């Protein structure tokens, strides 16, 4: 891999041989690499995907010829461009600096780049490594899930990036409770209704802001009565009996007096049911209305009931 569209020298032509071809150095003259003082290239260059990377090589008046190479590809030799990639441009070719720029950098541009110079009939080289960072991206995440209380779930969040992103899972509803996993996978066994809600996957690698995705976990459970109180009402007054129940899916409510079911539209009584409560309203309480009433809450997972007394005052 490397900068595309460049003249590629056959693999048998290593850097040394490439330099001999470029600079026409006699076979008996050694090619020096890693000279402590000259030529001097930059330290490793780190850029983000899509940015421009500038590769600089410090030279002096001893230099007669210069070139930049990427692996077995010749990018520039002096002012002559050997690379067809339009993203590679010559920035500077002076007595003190020889530099090129790679625009719109991608991951395949990562790797070693060599600055080669000819001086006093001795080719010398210096290498710089281009590191390309990539923002995190979540490429796979579990779908929303519905499960009965007591079951087991496994949530998956796969992300890419350079360097590899750190994955964390957090339970964010009904209230934040901190991180629940620092891994691609979140396993919950024996799930409870308190563990329902949204789970947020975050992928971060410090290249850009973390990316987050959410998975909704619905925990189904049978109804339980959370509130029901007996009520005292004088004859002739308005009386209300109310029964509250929590359930997923939402409970359906029924009211009974003794063994008789009370239906909507019954004279003098109104039955009103919402998602989490049911209300029995008496508009003009009579002696016959006093007694024991049963509220029944049910869904596909089960049912429960509670007795409520309407009594006189």
């Amino acid at each position: 891999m490397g900068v595309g569209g460049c003249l590629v020298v056959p693999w048998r032509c290593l850097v040394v041989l490439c330099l001999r071809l470029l600079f026409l150095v006699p076979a008996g003259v050694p090619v020096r690499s890693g000279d402590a003082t000259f030529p001097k290239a930059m330290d490793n260059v780190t850029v983000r995907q899509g940015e421009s990377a500038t590769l600089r090589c410090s030279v002096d008046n001893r230099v007669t010829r210069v070139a930049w190479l990427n692996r077995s590809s010749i990018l520039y030799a002096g002012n002559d461009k050997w690379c067809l990639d339009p993203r590679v441009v010559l920035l500077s070719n002076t007595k003190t600096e020889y530099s090129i720029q790679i625009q719109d950098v991608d991951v395949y541009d990562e790797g070693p780049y060599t600055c080669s110079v000819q001086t006093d009939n001795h080719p010398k080289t210096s290498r710089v490594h281009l590191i390309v960072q990539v923002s995190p991206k979540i490429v796979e995440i579990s779908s929303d899930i519905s499960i009965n209380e007591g079951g087991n779930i496994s949530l998956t969040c796969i992300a890419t990036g350079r360097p590899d992103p750190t994955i964390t899972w957090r339970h964010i509803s009904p209230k934040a409770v901190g991180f629940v996993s620092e891994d691609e996978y979140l396993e919950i066994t024996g799930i409870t209704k308190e563990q329902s809600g949204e789970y947020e996957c975050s992928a971060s690698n410090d290249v850009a802001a973390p990316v987050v995705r959410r998975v909704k976990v619905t925990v189904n459970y049978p109804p339980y009565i959370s509130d029901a109180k007996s009520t005292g009402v004088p004859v002739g007054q308005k009386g209300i009996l109310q029964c509250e129940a929590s359930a997923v899916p939402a409970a359906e409510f029924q009211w009974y007096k003794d063994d008789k079911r009370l239906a909507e539209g019954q004279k003098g009584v109104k039955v009103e049911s919402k998602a989490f409560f049911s209300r029995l309203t008496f508009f003009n309480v009579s002696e016959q209305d006093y007694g024991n009433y049963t509220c029944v809450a049910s869904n596909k997972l089960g049912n429960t009931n509670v007795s409520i007394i309407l009594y006189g005052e």
Side-chain angles (χ1 to χ4, degrees):
M1 301 298 291
V3 174
C6 302
L7 177 61
V8 178
V9 179
W11 68 269
R12 294 184 180 86
C13 177
L14 303 177
V15 171
V16 171
L17 183 53
C18 291
L19 294 178
R20 295 192 188 281
L21 292 175
L22 280 173
F23 303 148
L24 302 178
V25 180
V29 177
V31 173
R32 301 179 183 179
S33 178
D35 188 304
T37 60
F38 183 80
K40 184 178 181 182
M42 303 171 60
D43 294 329
N44 290 344
V45 176
T46 300
V47 296
R48 297 178 181 179
Q49 185 181 39
E51 294 181 342
S52 295
T54 300
L55 308 181
R56 294 185 176 90
C57 185
S58 297
V59 296
D60 62 20
N61 55 13
R62 293 177 293 166
V63 174
T64 57
R65 295 181 183 179
V66 288
W68 270 105
L69 298 88
N70 172 222
R71 299 183 178 86
S72 59
S73 300
I74 303 170
L75 305 180
Y76 266 92
N79 293 321
D80 297 329
K81 185 174 183 179
W82 289 45
C83 177
L84 300 178
D85 193 330
R87 300 177 305 127
V88 181
V89 296
L90 180 66
L91 285 186
S92 177
N93 183 10
T94 68
K95 294 181 179 180
T96 58
E97 181 179 298
Y98 185 53
S99 60
I100 62 172
Q101 185 179 75
I102 305 171
Q103 301 169 345
D104 192 21
V105 168
D106 210 336
V107 292
Y108 54 76
D109 296 316
E110 184 169 291
Y113 289 78
T114 303
C115 173
S116 302
V117 303
Q118 170 77 11
T119 174
D120 301 330
N121 294 323
H122 294 293
K124 300 177 184 179
T125 66
S126 183
R127 177 175 291 189
V128 59
H129 198 90
L130 177 61
I131 300 170
V132 180
Q133 295 181 328
V134 181
S135 302
K137 179 181 180 181
I138 295 176
V139 296
E140 179 184 342
I141 191 167
S142 298
S143 301
D144 293 347
I145 186 172
S146 178
I147 187 169
N148 293 344
E149 188 172 28
N152 304 328
I153 65 170
S154 177
L155 302 182
T156 301
C157 182
I158 307 297
T160 59
R162 297 168 72 127
D164 291 336
T166 298
I167 308 296
T168 56
W169 280 99
R170 186 165 65 100
H171 186 199
I172 63 170
S173 61
K175 62 180 180 179
V177 294
F179 293 108
V180 293
S181 175
E182 294 187 358
D183 191 81
E184 295 176 341
Y185 305 98
L186 173 60
E187 306 280 347
I188 301 178
T189 58
I191 195 168
T192 65
K193 54 182 173 291
E194 291 77 18
Q195 292 173 304
S196 66
E198 289 190 316
Y199 286 79
E200 181 182 88
C201 170
S202 174
S204 61
N205 65 359
D206 296 329
V207 176
V211 292
V212 296
R213 296 273 298 278
R214 293 180 179 180
V215 177
K216 183 178 181 181
V217 176
T218 301
V219 179
N220 304 310
Y221 57 94
Y224 70 91
I225 303 295
S226 55
D227 188 36
K229 296 179 181 179
S230 297
T231 303
V233 181
V235 171
Q237 299 296 311
K238 181 179 180 179
I240 295 177
L241 297 179
Q242 185 163 301
C243 171
E244 297 181 7
S246 177
V248 176
E252 295 182 356
F253 293 91
Q254 295 176 346
W255 286 94
Y256 293 85
K257 184 179 182 186
D258 299 325
D259 293 329
K260 182 179 179 181
R261 180 180 176 184
L262 304 180
E264 178 67 35
Q266 188 170 330
K267 186 176 180 180
V269 179
K270 179 182 180 181
V271 179
E272 180 185 10
S273 296
K274 302 295 184 180
F276 299 105
F277 75 90
S278 183
R279 182 181 296 137
L280 189 60
T281 302
F282 303 86
F283 295 103
N284 187 6
V285 172
S286 66
E287 290 285 351
Q288 290 75 25
D289 293 326
Y290 293 141
N292 185 61
Y293 291 82
T294 300
C295 171
V296 179
S298 61
N299 68 7
K300 64 181 182 180
L301 298 179
N303 64 79
T304 188
N305 65 80
V306 64
S307 293
I308 310 174
I309 299 173
L310 179 67
Y311 58 89
E313 287 187 337

